[in-house]
Every structure is written in structure tokens, then in C-alpha cells.
Amino acid sequence: MKIKCLVLINLCICLLNVNGQNAIQITTDNVGLFYRVGDNGRLYQTYVGKKLEHSQDFVHLPNLGEAYIANGMEDFFESAIRVLHGDGNPSLLLKYVSHETKQLQQDVAETVILLRDDKYPVDVKLHFTAYSKEDIIKTHSEITHREKKPITLYNYASSMLHLNAGNYYLTEFSGDWAHEANMSESPLTFGKKVLDTKLGSRANLYCSPFFILSLNESARENSGDVLFGTIGWTGNFRFTFEVDPENKLRIVSGINPFASEYTLQPGETFRTPEFIFTYSSEGKGKASRNFHKWARKFQLKDGEKTRLTLLNNWEATYFNFNEEKLITIMDEAVKLGVDMFLLDDGWFANKYPRGNDRQGLGDWEETKEKLPLGIGKLVEEATKKGIKFGIWIEPEMVNPKSELYEKHKDWVIHLPNRDEYYFRNQLVLDLSNPAVQNFVFGVVDNLMTKYPGIAYFKWDCNSPITNIYSPYLKDKQSHLYIEYVRGLYKVLERIKQKYPDLPMMLCSGGGGRTDYEALKYFTEFWPSDNTNAVERIFIQWGYSYFFPSKSMAAHVTSSGWQSMKFRTDVAMMCKLGFDIRTNNLKPEEQQFCREAVGNFKRLESTLLDGDMYRLASPCESDHAAVMYVEESGKTSVLFTFDIHPRHAERNQPLRLAGLNPKKEYELKEINMMPGARSRLSCNNKKYSGEYLMTVGIPVFSSNHTVSHLIEITEM
Ligand code: GLA
């Protein structure tokens, strides 16, 4: 009885608060998201944007739209949730019940708002986690019910946001294999724009799971109002942008409900993935830095720890290697000064040895012919040489030409009565099946148990789900896309629990998996199989809007004809690695690479943990420039690239950013080929921060594929 009274009092206080001048406020240092309960008991969003300081004004805020619009009532546009009740009634009307804000840790607070249908026992909880210092808000919903029969969910958004601006400009990120994260901006006018994927096992390939929305005017790097949003879901996602006749915009984000109606049992909770967003009224650069800081501190696995530089053998050998060759490459890694040798695809399977990508996937034992003494010998050799050993796996997949497929066709997603269609000659294992989850976990666990010296995994996933039918789910096929991703997270969680300190790279035929839920389990991702340095400038540029340099692996390879210096400089903008036979390089190139690795390690805290400033866009000129400023401000590194400038092009000085105008800085060009002299007039000179940021320095030329790295030291 006492408890009941307390709950009631609590509830009343909540209602008093929200019905009075105090809206439900979800705020960070610079961003605000406000709700209010209407006289009808329903919840409305009143604001999202730059934090408002004058609380006496909040009462004037108009209702922008219902917080989580349900189907079947009076709204004629995209809804957040669509439900069919057990009795066949297809409507839902959600009313505010209560809300609660909890401090999760310093500067991180979670607000949960409970909504309930007034006729059916269906609850929706809206969760918001606000990261004050990073200006990030994460939101997801939870749907549950106590009806007698199951209900069917047809739509189940993670988030619904309402905006009211004069104009909207949407930047989408699209691409294809080896051509990821291309940006294009277009205005949103009346009607709907949908960004979605149906790839099943990954979010990214043709369309990336993130967007930028500029309000009123197209935002620039350092000016304009902009909302950055992304979804943490390693599968089908959907963002719907709908402009109504009043020019109001709603953004509905979540799992793509395509072919995924979900039967929700009484008492079961359906948790949607997290939609993560930030808002900046100082342009895109600030919004990116918000994401970078938040990711390093809260989301990315080991986001605040250091990273391993490495030499990978994929582009150096492809499938063509044996023990002796690998040991020689390990020697090259030692000479190069990197921390680790990473063995890529091609080391496993015996009945159908993995000599190419048409067979062997699924049979995770060393190929005896190539590696007679197994992985153990390689780990031992690496250890003797003082470097770490990492290994490639692709545990969710199977080639039809494999023992696994022969033994366990019931574990394979395939249609029982049709021919199979392959993507890179392979099929996807059915991760909705707990037995398959055990198998996939076992791929890592068995290797770690047998060879505890393994220090790193590169986890690949080359195929989207094709032939879409789960032998395990039987009559619940519409749950497959969801259960696949849930199954994947269960496996990744088990690995994280058992091997908390194991760094892993997330790869998916290049950048197929680049979402923040997966990145909880991975220290970095592989942005693209395209390692041509010019292409990489654009690809890394695109990803940099959402992901910190620390999360992106970038390798120097022999793809592309640019100089070794240019290729290395491009890779040093992210987490540096090599994927090349360094013994084949000229001696001066080898020396250059060694020195570059040394520079990278010396400057790691600036390059991977510093604030990133995009200074010149390769999409807007024939040059690119990016700068990283270490937290203390003492060290910065400037990267400049001439890509394909016109003959005798006139270049303006480049203005830097992130420095203290009152301080003095010394500039020094680094990462030079042995014996080369700097041609930059700013080399070895001192400037004030004011000069560097207001007047700028000449760094660009009209030569093709020329790059410079300039270390900037506070005096
Ligand atoms: C994918 C990855 C590559 C490489 C190959 C191996 O394409 O993106 O980096 O690991 O698989 O087959």
C-alpha cells in the first residue's frame, strides 16, 4: 500500500512538472530535446536544436508533433509504430504515464518516458541517454504488452524527431564495394525520402547507416545548423524523412521493417536499436568532433586505449603463401617496426583447401599443405621476433564447397526448394540458431584456447544474406533479419566477456559493417577494399564525418601508382598499417616507411585521439587538408594533399584551425623521403596561432599527388 502511494505521488509530480512550464527536457551542454504532455494526455515534441537557456520561454514552444506517432488514429504520414492487437484491432493511442531521469555516471543521464495505450495493455518506453560534454543523445524504444494473445509489430522505430525549418538539406552517404561513403547533398521537399538497406548481415554497402541534415541553409564546415544521425544496427536499417504540407519534417529511424513483421509475445520486450544523434549550430566540423569524442570515450571498443600498427599479408600475397613466406613477411614487419603481423584469408580447410574464394570457408583448421606446423608455429615465430600475431576469420559464412556445408546444411540460410544464389561464392550461416551461435563463438574460442598467443582478430563478413530462409525459424521467417543480428550480438558479447582485452578489426568486404553497435565489440573497422591512396582520401573523408581516425584501419599497399610517401601519408590519417611486400621496396622507401612508423607512434595521441579539423575538402577542390590537434594543444599535425590540380593553378593560403590565437607555434615538415628537403616556405618557421588561423600558410602546389605532413609544436 505504502509503495503504491509513493508511486502515485511520483507520478503526480511528473505530471505537474510536464503540464506546467517545465517540459521534459533532455539536454547536453549545447543541445536540447524537449517534450510536453498535451491536455489530451498525449506526448508532444516541442523542440530539438541548440540548447535554449531561458526556461521562461519554454511555455511558448509550439507542439511540433506527437513524440512517437502510432497508426490507426488521425495522423496521415509516416508513423513510428504500427501494431495489430490480438483481437484484430489495428490501432494504438499512446498516452503519457510517467518519466524518470537517472544520472548514469558523471555527465551522462538517462531519461525514460513511459507511454501506454488507453484501451490495450501495450506500453512503449522512450529511452534517451544524454552525454553532456560530447553533445550526443542516444535514443531507443522498448515495446511490451500484457494482452492475452501475441500482438504483431509492423513498424517499430527507434526514434522519431520533428523539425520545423525553412529548408532542409540532406547529405546521404552511398557507394558500392570499393567505393564507399560518397557524399551527396539534396534538398528535401514535400514528400518522403527513404534511406534503407536489405542486406541482412550488414548495414553498409550501397547506403550507409548515417546522414547529415542541414537546416535552413546548407551547413558548412564551421557554420550552419546541422543534425548528424546514425543507427546502431548491424543489419537492415531505415531512415525516413517526410516533409508534410506545413513544411515540417519528421525523421523516423530504426530497423528496416521490410519483411520483418514481429510477433511479440505477452510479457516479451521488443528493444529497438539505438539512434544516435548530435546537433551543432557551428557547422559540420563540430558535429563530427562530438561523434569522435563520444565514440572514443563511450562506444568504440577500447576507445581510449592505444592501437597496434601492423603488416597484413592480404594484398601482399592473396591466397598464395606458405609458412616460409609468412615467416619472411614477419621479418619484414620487424624491420618496419610495426607491432604485429596479421595473417589474412587462405590459411584454413583441408578437404577443400582455401586456395581461392570458392571453397573452404567454414572449415577452420589450418591447411596442412601450406602450414604443416599450424598456427602455433606462426605464433611462436612472431613471439620470438618480438611482434604480435593476428589472424583473419569469417566465421558467419560458408562456401558450399566445404565440409561444414556437407555436414550442416541445416545451419545455412537457404531456400529449401530453390537453386542457391551466391555472393562471393558463399552463403550466410543461420545465426538465429543457438547451435550456429555456438559454432561461430567457437571459431574464436577454439583458436584462442589452442593458441592463446593470438593477439588480434580481423573478423570479416563478405556476403549479405541471400536465399532468405532460416531452416531454424521455420514458420517465423519474418523474424530472420532481426534474429540474425541479435544472434550476432550474442556471439560478440560472449567473446567480449571471455576475451575482454582482445582487439578486433571489423571488416565486411571492405566497409560493409560500419555501425556503432558493432563497434562496441571492435577496436577498428576496415573502411574499404579500395586501397588506392587517392580513392582512400575520399573514402576516409566521408567516414570522418561520423567515425574517429582511431576507428579506421588504413593500410599502405601497392595499389595505385602514387609515391610511397603519398600512400603512407594518406594511411597515417587513420590507424596505420601496411599490406605490401616491403622487401620489394627501394632501400630509401624502406627507410622512409620505418621512419613513418616511428612518427606515427610518436604522434599517436595526436593522430588518433586529437580533435580533427577538416580544412580543405577533396570534394570541393583538387586538394585536401586535415589537421589533428592533441588535447593539450601542444602538438598538432597537418596533412595536405595535392590530388589532381590544374596546370598553374593559383592556390590560396590554407587557414588552420583548433589552435590558440595567442600562442606561438613552430612548424616542421616530417615524413620526408631520406635526403629530401622541404619545399614548404613555412618549414621550420614560427607563427602565432592567430596568423595560422587568420592568414594561413601556402601548402598547396599544382603538382599531382603531392603530400605533406607538418608537425606543429606549441612554443
Ligand atoms: C575481404 C576483405 C579483405 C580481405 C579479403 C579476404 O574482401 O575486405 O580485406 O580480407 O576479404 O578474402
Side-chain angles (χ1 to χ4, degrees):
M1 182 61 193
K2 217 175 176 184
I3 293 174
K4 260 192 189 161
C5 284
L6 274 178
V7 171
L8 251 178
I9 292 166
N10 194 10
L11 207 80
C12 293
I13 292 169
C14 291
L15 280 168
L16 269 180
N17 278 343
V18 292
N19 279 329
Q21 300 209 347
N22 293 331
I24 303 175
Q25 296 166 31
I26 293 133
T27 55
T28 67
D29 282 0
N30 298 295
V31 182
L33 170 64
F34 295 173
Y35 293 92
R36 164 193 298 137
V37 179
D39 294 340
N40 56 6
R42 290 157 77 169
L43 184 72
Y44 295 90
Q45 187 200 313
T46 53
Y47 183 74
V48 61
K50 185 179 173 188
K51 186 173 166 184
L52 301 174
E53 297 298 344
H54 299 275
S55 55
Q56 70 273 20
D57 291 339
F58 296 171
V59 73
H60 306 309
L61 287 168
N63 289 350
L64 287 179
E66 198 172 351
Y68 196 74
I69 297 180
N71 64 294
M73 303 307 297
E74 78 283 28
D75 186 80
F76 303 116
F77 300 94
E78 187 74 14
S79 63
I81 180 167
R82 182 155 88 86
V83 162
L84 183 67
H85 297 282
D87 65 0
N89 184 314
S91 70
L92 192 71
L93 193 142
L94 295 170
K95 293 206 167 174
Y96 170 87
V97 177
S98 64
H99 77 281
E100 195 183 39
T101 300
K102 263 196 300 198
Q103 205 63 35
L104 298 183
Q105 52 179 284
Q106 202 186 352
D107 299 320
V108 184
E110 188 190 33
T111 301
V112 183
I113 308 176
L114 174 62
L115 308 174
R116 179 166 298 151
D117 188 281
D118 61 355
K119 296 281 185 285
Y120 289 85
V122 176
D123 284 0
V124 175
K125 275 188 189 165
L126 305 179
H127 290 251
F128 303 89
T129 309
Y131 298 83
S132 300
K133 297 289 163 230
E134 295 75 22
D135 288 325
I136 292 281
I137 299 179
K138 270 188 347 187
T139 136
H140 74 273
S141 58
E142 280 177 356
I143 306 161
T144 182
H145 74 96
R146 283 162 283 108
E147 292 188 22
K148 288 206 174 62
K149 291 195 210 153
I151 66 172
T152 310
L153 302 178
Y154 289 92
N155 283 13
Y156 28 80
S158 297
S159 146
M160 173 169 240
L161 286 176
H162 300 276
L163 294 117
N164 190 10
N167 296 296
Y168 309 101
Y169 296 92
L170 177 70
T171 301
E172 60 191 82
F173 295 74
S174 60
D176 203 338
W177 178 76
H179 190 51
E180 292 87 346
N182 298 287
M183 300 164 66
S184 59
E185 185 178 68
S186 48
L188 291 176
T189 52
F190 175 79
K192 244 190 233 180
K193 163 93 184 176
V194 174
L195 299 177
D196 72 353
T197 56
K198 301 180 183 121
L199 303 162
S201 58
R202 44 158 82 173
N204 199 0
L205 180 64
Y206 310 119
C207 178
S208 307
F210 34 88
F211 66 84
I212 298 176
L213 182 80
S214 292
L215 301 166
N216 298 313
E217 283 157 30
S218 169
R220 307 284 306 160
E221 190 64 18
N222 298 312
S223 63
D225 283 299
V226 74
L227 187 147
F228 278 39
T230 183
I231 186 95
W233 185 247
T234 317
N236 301 348
F237 71 88
R238 188 170 81 175
F239 300 127
T240 307
F241 305 84
E242 188 166 33
V243 178
D244 70 15
E246 293 173 11
N247 206 47
K248 282 190 193 149
L249 169 70
R250 65 181 66 175
I251 308 172
V252 187
S253 310
I255 294 176
N256 187 351
F258 167 79
S260 296
E261 54 277 6
Y262 191 90
T263 312
L264 189 70
Q265 299 299 330
E268 183 188 348
T269 300
F270 186 89
R271 189 191 196 279
T272 64
E274 285 167 347
F275 174 71
I276 310 151
F277 74 96
T278 187
Y279 188 97
S280 154
S281 46
E282 294 163 44
K284 298 175 187 172
K286 170 82 167 54
S288 293
R289 288 187 290 282
N290 291 348
F291 259 101
H292 297 171
K293 283 186 190 151
W294 166 81
R296 285 192 299 257
K297 188 152 183 209
F298 297 104
Q299 194 77 5
L300 182 66
K301 178 170 162 57
D302 296 338
E304 294 188 300
K305 294 197 183 151
T306 56
R307 294 291 183 265
L308 297 167
T309 53
L310 58 84
L311 176 61
N312 185 197
N313 73 310
W314 175 241
E315 289 192 39
T317 65
Y318 293 106
F319 295 97
N320 179 19
F321 60 80
N322 57 22
E323 188 181 282
E324 198 191 331
K325 201 179 204 176
L326 295 181
I327 292 173
T328 315
I329 298 178
M330 283 184 201
D331 287 328
E332 294 175 32
V334 174
K335 252 167 77 187
L336 195 55
V338 292
D339 302 306
M340 181 168 61
F341 167 72
L342 169 62
L343 172 61
D344 215 284
D345 194 356
W347 59 266
F348 49 87
N350 284 298
K351 183 167 177 190
Y352 305 106
R354 180 79 171 167
N356 54 57
D357 65 11
R358 291 185 297 279
Q359 62 184 50
L361 206 52
D363 302 345
W364 298 104
E365 289 109 34
E366 299 92 323
T367 308
K368 293 212 175 70
E369 220 174 288
K370 272 185 186 170
L371 303 174
L373 301 175
I375 296 296
K377 169 74 176 161
L378 298 176
V379 178
E380 191 189 305
E381 284 295 323
T383 314
K384 258 200 255 161
K385 294 177 198 298
I387 53 172
K388 294 184 189 292
F389 179 87
I391 194 162
W392 178 97
I393 51 171
E394 194 179 4
E396 299 154 76
M397 306 277 154
V398 63
N399 282 130
K401 213 166 159 195
S402 68
E403 288 186 80
L404 179 67
Y405 182 91
E406 287 171 353
K407 268 195 229 136
H408 268 300
K409 194 151 176 199
D410 56 323
W411 284 4
V412 180
I413 296 179
H414 72 284
L415 287 153
N417 55 350
R418 292 188 190 276
D419 291 345
E420 289 170 356
Y421 291 89
Y422 306 123
F423 192 102
R424 209 198 187 203
N425 316 302
Q426 62 198 54
L427 289 166
V428 181
L429 294 179
D430 185 1
L431 268 176
S432 70
N433 182 343
V436 175
Q437 292 167 19
N438 287 339
F439 171 81
V440 174
F441 170 75
V443 175
V444 172
D445 195 36
N446 294 340
L447 279 164
M448 286 303 287
T449 308
K450 237 168 133 188
Y451 311 116
I454 294 179
Y456 184 89
F457 279 84
K458 174 178 175 185
W459 179 305
D460 213 335
C461 157
N462 276 294
S463 177
I465 299 180
T466 57
N467 314 281
I468 305 148
Y469 183 91
S470 156
Y472 177 77
L473 289 173
K474 301 205 171 67
D475 62 345
K476 282 219 184 118
Q477 292 303 319
S478 68
H479 288 207
L480 172 58
Y481 283 133
I482 292 169
E483 293 301 346
Y484 184 87
V485 181
R486 286 178 175 171
L488 174 67
Y489 293 154
K490 278 187 196 152
V491 172
L492 293 173
E493 193 55 48
R494 278 169 78 185
I495 294 171
K496 196 174 174 178
Q497 291 302 325
K498 187 152 181 197
Y499 306 103
D501 299 321
L502 184 65
M504 300 209 286
M505 183 206 290
L506 180 56
C507 179
S508 183
R513 277 180 169 170
T514 50
D515 69 270
Y516 269 120
E517 189 61 25
L519 286 174
K520 271 186 182 168
Y521 304 101
F522 293 88
T523 44
E524 59 241 30
F525 68 88
W526 181 235
S528 179
D529 279 346
N530 190 337
T531 55
N532 178 302
V534 165
E535 293 292 320
R536 269 290 176 135
I537 291 178
F538 288 85
I539 294 168
Q540 291 169 192
W541 186 268
Y543 282 120
S544 80
Y545 283 84
F546 282 85
F547 299 99
S549 53
K550 187 174 230 171
S551 66
M552 288 189 256
H555 296 177
V556 178
T557 71
S558 49
S559 159
W561 40 264
Q562 305 92 10
S563 70
M564 201 58 200
K565 170 170 168 55
F566 190 90
R567 284 181 269 159
T568 308
D569 286 355
V570 170
M572 273 178 69
M573 283 196 286
C574 297
K575 200 220 82 168
L576 177 68
F578 290 78
D579 197 342
I580 192 167
R581 290 303 308 264
T582 50
N583 273 358
N584 299 340
L585 300 175
K586 295 184 198 129
E588 64 272 23
E589 288 178 327
Q590 294 190 21
Q591 191 187 330
F592 164 79
C593 290
R594 259 197 312 278
E595 286 172 9
V597 171
N599 281 332
F600 182 81
K601 290 188 170 182
R602 183 172 60 80
L603 296 165
E604 184 175 339
S605 66
T606 306
L607 298 173
L608 300 189
D609 294 310
D611 273 343
M612 185 210 206
Y613 293 86
R614 286 179 296 259
L615 303 177
S617 165
C619 311
E620 291 172 6
S621 71
D622 295 309
H623 309 274
V626 160
M627 184 174 165
Y628 297 91
V629 182
E630 196 214 355
E631 205 185 351
S632 71
K634 296 225 173 329
T635 308
S636 305
V637 179
L638 170 66
F639 290 79
T640 72
F641 301 96
D642 299 309
I643 305 173
H644 295 303
R646 300 276 321 268
H647 168 68
E649 187 188 82
R650 284 200 202 110
N651 293 304
Q652 307 308 315
L654 178 76
R655 292 195 285 175
L656 310 193
L659 302 174
N660 183 337
K662 297 205 176 90
K663 296 251 160 105
E664 203 187 9
Y665 297 88
E666 181 165 31
L667 274 55
K668 186 172 169 35
E669 181 165 14
I670 58 167
N671 253 26
M672 308 274 291
M673 286 301 287
R677 281 192 26 233
S678 175
R679 284 194 254 150
L680 293 174
S681 59
C682 62
N683 186 38
N684 287 331
K685 296 224 173 94
K686 294 188 182 112
Y687 299 85
S688 68
E690 178 193 56
Y691 186 94
L692 292 169
M693 295 194 293
T694 317
V695 180
I697 46 171
V699 286
F700 293 133
S701 76
S702 53
N703 298 319
H704 286 207
T705 55
V706 171
S707 59
H708 300 286
L709 238 83
I710 302 167
E711 185 173 345
I712 301 169
T713 311
E714 189 187 294
M715 304 303 295

